[in-house]
Amino acid sequence: MRIHTISTSPFTDQKPGTSGLRKKVTVFKQENYLENFVQSIFNALDNTKGMTLVLGGDGRYYNREAIHIILRVAAANGVAKILLGCNGILSTPAVSNIIRQYKANGGIILSASHNPGGPDEDFGIKYNIDNGGPAPEKITESIYQQSLHISDYKIIDANAIDMDHIGELTLGEMKIHIIDSVADYADLMEKLFDFELIRDYVQSAEFKFCFDAMHAVTGPYAIEIFEKRLQAPAGTVIHEVPMADFGGGHPDPNLVHAKKLVKKMYAADAPNFGAASDGDGDRNMILGRHFYVTPSDSLAILAANTTLIPGYAEGLCGVARSMPTSQAVDRVAKVLGIPCYETPTGWKFFGNLLDAGKISLCGEESFGTGSNHVREKDGLWAVLFWLNILAVKQQPVVKLVHDHWLQYGRNIYTRHDYEAISSKKADALIRHLRDHAESLKGKKYGSYEISLCDDFSYIDPVDGSESQHQGIRIFFTNGARIIYRLSGTGTQGATLRVYIEQTETDTKKIRLSFKRTPQELLAGLIELSTSLADIKHLTGRTKPDVIT
Ligand code: VG1
Ligand code: CO
């Protein structure tokens, strides 16, 4: 095996964002671009010699080519063994599980998650550590620093391997185990949930279920779990074949992009339960018949019903949510008498809390829910959690949610995204808010009075690391909140996310809210969110591109 040391020069744009490095495929295809980043990962790790790593991706365009490059760089850096998903496919939660199950030293996930795929679309790469979770900021920052100072990378010559058959091969001195992408993950799900009960439920005449895999990574997982192991009728899973371009769609499970599923769920003969997952399988959207469950509510409902699930029968030690996620789960934690942590956006902030046994369930408003079973958010896990609850309770989704609100109170919630605005304008908007935070306190707008405005910063309670500038928060005296932050996953300009939340504890008003949409219920606060940040003037936009 000949190891080549190739001279290279740094790219200045390899700073990992909320979830790894995401760029257009055309950027990744530049000479040395991927090689540089992979070598920077290895340089940031103490010692790559003898390591075992997990490798796989969501099957998007450039997945296979990237795997070949990564294998050759890994072999040259002395990595001993790679566990590679068959066909190069592994969902993000499956990677997390495999790292943990086989005690690997880490893993590399190739995905740009919910972003579209194809020659002119997005690609991404992310490093996960030995707990199975995304590398913490300390490591991503070190990878970035390495990328800024890299002068060469190591690579071996090798032909493309056959990754489409389970088995073992060697590349130079490195072993490659091509593993079944689905089996270990499906086995784990069987350990956590009551498959027998769910099997009966999904086969009963009165229950109909539809899962939209969005031509992304979860197709094979969903077929194995829902149609094979749980014996749901054939056709329960739609868009089940993973495609390099996700069939031309955005693999983003929300009301805008999961069109076919949403149409089905709002039709006259709609199924009782609908769900979808994203490009890499870590997100989930939950729908009932003619009813959409807000992700923040979904998290709270899972927390409130945990003890119905065999794998969580002992209850929760604590919960966490990302800062912009609604405070619905806080209410449940309060009733349960357990701590509730508030972290910056991104799953990497939950890892320490999960490892330290401070929390066992966590989630984000962006269709992400997970637990201590792995160290990533987990789409199919959340769907199974819901199925298990429904199988025990035998109630329509809408009733379950309404009853939850009546018992715990309702956090009416929406997120408005302004996509692909110029970075300069977006930065100016946030800076403007930050600079005026102090002066906003005490200001009154109709029935809304600002009690506090700040820029969220977080000190990790486990390792003391500090993360600043995580979003501008505006609190109102009546419990409402507006939050502004810029996305860290986009590949074009900046995306401004505005999170709007209002609390309601009066059961009479909660009942009245059943018939109205969050957009109607929050109209006044939404209006205020645009005027407070001067969105129209500073970005030129009159309405958001995506509302969830
Ligand atoms: C978004 C979401 C965040 C999520 C992240 C990764 O980040 O808001 O909650 O953790 O995507 O999810 P941002 O910085 O664009 O707001 V995924 O499914 O892309 O791995
Ligand atoms: Co994702």
Side-chain angles (χ1 to χ4, degrees), residues 268-532:
D269 60 344
N272 319 60
F273 181 63
S277 189
D278 72 333
D280 60 329
D282 56 358
R283 296 185 176 206
N284 72 91
M285 174 169 67
I286 302 294
L287 297 161
R289 177 181 285 153
H290 305 175
F291 189 75
Y292 160 71
V293 184
T294 305
S296 298
D297 281 336
S298 176
L299 173 65
I301 290 164
L302 301 195
N305 291 284
T306 312
T307 49
L308 301 180
I309 312 298
Y312 304 88
E314 286 173 13
L316 301 169
C317 57
V319 292
R321 62 165 170 82
S322 66
M323 180 274 283
T325 302
S326 100
Q327 297 161 96
V329 72
D330 304 38
R331 298 176 182 283
V332 178
K334 205 166 170 203
V335 172
L336 295 176
I338 55 172
C340 177
Y341 296 86
E342 185 178 44
T343 59
T345 296
W347 213 260
K348 56 180 172 253
F349 295 101
F350 294 132
N352 275 349
L353 298 171
L354 289 161
D355 285 350
K358 289 186 180 294
I359 60 166
S360 31
L361 186 85
C362 46
E364 298 190 274
E365 50 63 44
S366 53
F367 302 86
T369 346
S371 87
N372 53 4
H373 70 291
V374 289
R375 293 294 181 272
E376 288 278 4
K377 55 186 183 275
D378 191 343
L380 288 172
W381 167 90
V383 177
L384 285 163
F385 206 126
W386 267 92
L387 278 173
N388 203 150
I389 294 174
L390 294 172
V392 174
K393 293 214 160 189
Q394 309 261 336
Q395 283 174 350
V397 172
V398 58
K399 172 154 173 49
L400 214 119
V401 177
H402 286 172
D403 287 352
H404 180 92
W405 290 339
L406 289 170
Q407 184 179 350
Y408 293 95
R410 177 172 184 191
N411 288 62
I412 307 158
Y413 186 84
T414 189
R415 184 178 102 182
H416 286 203
D417 290 342
Y418 298 81
E419 293 179 340
I421 51 184
S422 90
S423 298
K424 228 168 136 192
K425 286 181 180 169
D427 288 340
L429 184 144
I430 293 289
R431 207 174 326 111
H432 182 257
L433 278 169
R434 189 180 294 138
D435 294 347
H436 289 81
E438 275 297 307
S439 65
L440 283 174
K441 199 176 158 184
K443 288 233 162 103
K444 279 191 195 146
Y445 304 88
S447 56
Y448 294 102
E449 180 179 346
I450 297 179
S451 57
L452 184 75
C453 176
D454 70 1
D455 188 354
F456 181 59
S457 66
Y458 176 70
I459 297 179
D460 185 299
V462 180
D463 66 16
S465 58
E466 198 174 338
S467 308
Q468 286 171 333
H469 303 310
Q470 297 297 322
I472 306 293
R473 308 187 289 183
I474 300 183
F475 296 92
F476 296 87
T477 49
N478 61 4
R481 285 196 312 172
I482 301 173
I483 287 141
Y484 303 86
R485 62 176 283 280
L486 300 183
S487 156
T489 57
T491 56
Q492 219 179 354
T495 293
L496 170 68
R497 304 204 195 284
V498 185
Y499 311 79
I500 300 143
E501 174 181 8
Q502 192 165 298
T503 58
E504 191 53 77
T505 48
D506 179 335
T507 47
K508 231 175 159 177
K509 287 191 181 153
I510 291 172
R511 270 183 211 287
L512 285 173
S513 78
F514 290 174
K515 291 273 171 239
R516 301 178 65 204
T517 66
Q519 303 311 309
E520 291 164 356
L521 294 163
L522 294 169
L525 206 53
I526 290 170
E527 185 55 43
L528 192 54
S529 77
T530 61
S531 60
L532 276 176

